[in-house]
Amino acid sequence: MSKSLQAIRGMNDILPEQTPLWRYFESTVARLLDNYGYKQIRMPIVEFTELFKRSIGEVTDIVEKEMYTFEDRNGDSLTLRPEGTAACVRAVLEHGITGGGQTQKLWYIGPMFRHERPQKGRYRQFHQIGCEVFNLDGPDIDAELIVLTWRLWGQLGIRDAVKLELNSLGTSESRGRYREALVEYLSAHLDKLDEDSQRRLKTNPLRVLDTKNADTQAVLVDAPKMADYLDDESRTHFEGLKARLDAAGIPYVINPKLVRGLDYYSKTVFEWVTDKLGAQGTVCAGGRYDGLVEQMGGKPTTGVGFAMGIERLILLLETLEQIPEEISRQVDVYLCAFGEAAELAGLALSEQLRDQLPSLRLQVNAGAGSFKSQFKKADKSGALYALILGDDELAQQVVSVKPLRGQGEQQSIAFDALAAHLATCIVQG
Ligand code: ATP
Ligand code: MG
């Protein structure tokens, strides 16, 4: 017997019952980003593997073990994008749209791919919405990115469930000096570090800071602190950011251990975390990457951005039951027609209604059926009203408008008065 066909583990279908919430989320974010003056960019899902190695860093979790990499038919090594920043930087460089110091405030949305262990809030295909800003180097824009996410949490009704964690990794010079001090300290306690941390000490020592191992964490208590190594430039930038968050009334906690998984960050790093989703608590994360564009072959161009995980935010909306009522109803009216003549008249009438009321959500019964079966379908559709068209109605050129949610009596409405009638009784969401 052949094995039934299945989706790849960790890659999910988003079913019709779930898509209204996704679309609500996506349109809320898109509107917000429009309002703040961000422009959408769309990059391919597949890029040359080299792009991610060069930008994300060879010794990060993503590049070492999470990428979906394969050979193209002509022998090129390609990778399904694990994140959006690298491709966005590639795109702005390729098209010269950050040249001559041009500012760009961009956003993107789409699927990302990482070969991780699937669990709640962690998938192999997941979706992000991200923002990237180029050629603005002050803390004002770091603050704007945080402020707009804060506004988003407010609009979504999840503000009380998320907390902002903030850190500064300094300029590459100050981070270099800190890295040396950290390596020196950790090397003196090598035997107390877990295996992963011992390895990272050689390859990517800052990552030791976000270890989950209790023994290593104990060693870290007395380790040198990044804050003591910040140069004046980084310190001023960080103070500037904090002052703006204070001015905007956004609470935050400084987390000196926040280093982020990707190599390219400098100065500001931040995460929005929730304790409502278990272990996968980071719903949005980002930071500044002033050296990345140059590292990828461009002229010095500063950058700052973030990405939010859509699945985790959807889970949070569901967990907190912050699902707006209007999205649960997809149909306003359901047209039932009995007999061929009524069906033909019903088609003409419904197209006329769509002309007159462009936002009316009108579902026309398909597949004929008895009174009972059509009413059942009308009810199941969630519609507020059933429009009934049978021989009697047709003879009188009226439609019977039957309330399905207990809002009053059935009424007979003339064809030419129907649009006006529906406009008064259906409040558009
Ligand atoms: P984590 O520490 O949870 O692995 P990360 O640091 O790898 O996250 P980023 O690369 O910063 O995550 O991606 C930004 C956001 O994308 C994360 O905060 C999270 O919300 C989401 N995200 C990342 N990886 C996954 C995944 N495998 N499944 C679902 N969402 C994810
Ligand atoms: Mg990760």
Side-chain angles (χ1 to χ4, degrees):
M1 212 173 69
S2 68
K3 198 165 165 273
S4 63
L5 292 169
Q6 284 184 332
I8 296 164
R9 201 162 104 86
M11 303 202 180
N12 301 308
D13 298 306
I14 300 162
L15 294 173
E17 66 193 42
Q18 300 168 295
T19 49
L21 186 56
W22 279 72
R23 289 180 59 184
Y24 155 73
F25 176 81
E26 290 163 0
S27 60
T28 304
V29 185
R31 190 171 52 240
L32 179 97
L33 292 171
D34 283 346
N35 293 352
Y36 275 85
Y38 288 71
K39 299 210 170 90
Q40 193 184 18
I41 182 168
R42 301 186 185 203
M43 300 85 65
I45 286 171
V46 187
E47 298 271 355
F48 288 117
T49 306
E50 188 58 24
L51 173 69
F52 302 112
K53 286 193 176 165
R54 259 169 59 186
S55 58
I56 298 171
E58 296 261 11
V59 287
T60 54
D61 283 352
I62 292 181
V63 173
E64 276 183 341
K65 52 190 185 203
E66 296 176 359
M67 293 206 303
Y68 279 91
T69 296
F70 60 95
E71 206 172 272
D72 198 358
R73 287 177 189 277
N74 61 5
D76 292 331
S77 179
L78 306 183
T79 294
L80 294 179
R81 63 181 183 193
E83 53 105 54
T85 306
C88 188
V89 169
R90 196 245 339 114
V92 299
L93 280 181
E94 190 168 333
H95 300 284
I97 59 174
T98 52
Q102 284 175 84
T103 293
Q104 292 289 346
K105 303 207 299 184
L106 305 174
W107 70 278
Y108 57 81
I109 178 171
M112 306 292 160
F113 303 84
R114 298 184 194 176
H115 196 275
E116 305 198 68
R117 192 171 70 77
Q119 55 200 287
K120 182 184 170 195
R122 192 177 292 287
Y123 312 101
R124 290 180 173 175
Q125 174 174 334
F126 61 99
H127 298 78
Q128 288 184 336
I129 293 182
C131 279
E132 314 290 351
V133 177
F134 298 99
N135 282 320
L136 285 172
D137 55 9
D140 51 351
I141 194 69
D142 305 26
E144 179 175 278
L145 289 171
I146 293 172
V147 167
L148 71 83
T149 47
W150 173 248
R151 176 166 299 280
L152 177 64
W153 313 145
Q155 289 178 355
L156 296 171
I158 57 174
R159 226 180 227 181
D160 293 343
V162 291
K163 195 177 74 178
L164 175 62
E165 297 194 356
L166 206 60
N167 193 21
S168 175
L169 301 179
T171 57
S172 63
E173 297 79 44
S174 57
R175 200 165 56 259
R177 284 189 290 118
Y178 174 62
R179 189 186 297 119
E180 265 174 46
L182 184 68
V183 169
E184 189 181 316
Y185 172 85
L186 292 176
S187 302
H189 299 82
L190 197 61
D191 51 327
K192 297 196 200 75
L193 303 183
D194 63 282
E195 214 175 291
D196 238 14
S197 296
Q198 290 190 8
R199 191 174 55 87
R200 282 179 170 158
L201 185 57
K202 296 199 192 72
T203 55
N204 194 350
L206 260 55
R207 289 302 307 280
V208 176
L209 294 178
D210 68 0
T211 179
K212 304 274 183 294
N213 182 282
D215 295 335
T216 305
Q217 279 176 347
V219 174
L220 285 172
V221 173
D222 294 321
K225 302 279 176 286
M226 182 73 228
D228 300 326
Y229 287 78
L230 292 184
D231 51 23
D232 286 346
E233 185 191 334
S234 313
R235 199 182 304 277
T236 308
H237 188 99
F238 200 32
E239 291 308 317
L241 172 59
K242 288 191 275 186
R244 282 165 179 82
L245 296 179
D246 291 337
I250 300 177
Y252 54 83
V253 291
I254 305 292
N255 176 358
K257 291 188 182 147
L258 185 64
V259 293
R260 310 284 303 116
L262 290 64
D263 260 2
Y264 51 56
Y265 287 109
S266 58
K267 292 186 181 158
T268 310
V269 286
F270 66 91
E271 287 191 0
W272 287 100
V273 294
T274 178
D275 57 9
K276 303 281 187 284
L277 297 179
Q280 270 52 254
T282 305
V283 293
C284 175
R288 185 162 272 286
Y289 48 85
D290 287 345
L292 179 62
V293 176
E294 212 178 343
Q295 181 188 315
M296 288 172 64
K299 298 236 165 60
T301 303
T302 59
V304 58
F306 66 75
M308 57 182 90
I310 303 184
E311 281 81 356
R312 290 185 195 176
L313 284 159
I314 296 281
L315 273 171
L316 191 55
L317 290 174
E318 287 169 343
T319 307
L320 300 174
E321 296 180 6
Q322 287 296 330
I323 300 175
E325 221 170 282
E326 64 266 22
I327 71 163
S328 55
R329 190 166 55 80
Q330 300 295 306
V331 178
D332 297 319
V333 290
Y334 190 102
L335 179 91
C336 307
F338 303 100
E340 180 154 0
E343 208 186 282
L344 296 182
L347 176 59
L349 182 66
S350 53
E351 287 307 305
Q352 199 183 323
L353 280 177
R354 292 186 207 280
D355 287 338
Q356 292 164 315
L357 302 171
S359 59
L360 181 73
R361 296 173 301 180
L362 161 63
Q363 190 165 321
V364 177
N365 184 74
S370 66
F371 273 96
K372 199 173 156 206
S373 85
Q374 289 200 39
F375 283 139
K376 210 167 156 189
K377 287 197 274 178
D379 189 47
K380 205 172 160 219
S381 77
L384 290 173
Y385 296 91
L387 305 182
I388 303 159
L389 208 50
D391 291 339
D392 292 349
E393 282 87 359
L394 209 50
Q396 298 172 50
Q397 295 284 291
V398 297
V399 174
S400 299
V401 179
K402 180 182 162 66
L404 296 172
R405 316 281 146 204
Q407 63 284 44
E409 296 295 307
Q410 181 168 319
Q411 283 178 278
S412 257
I413 309 288
F415 281 4
D416 54 10
L418 188 57
H421 177 79
L422 291 177
T424 60
C425 55
I426 290 160
V427 184
Q428 296 295 329

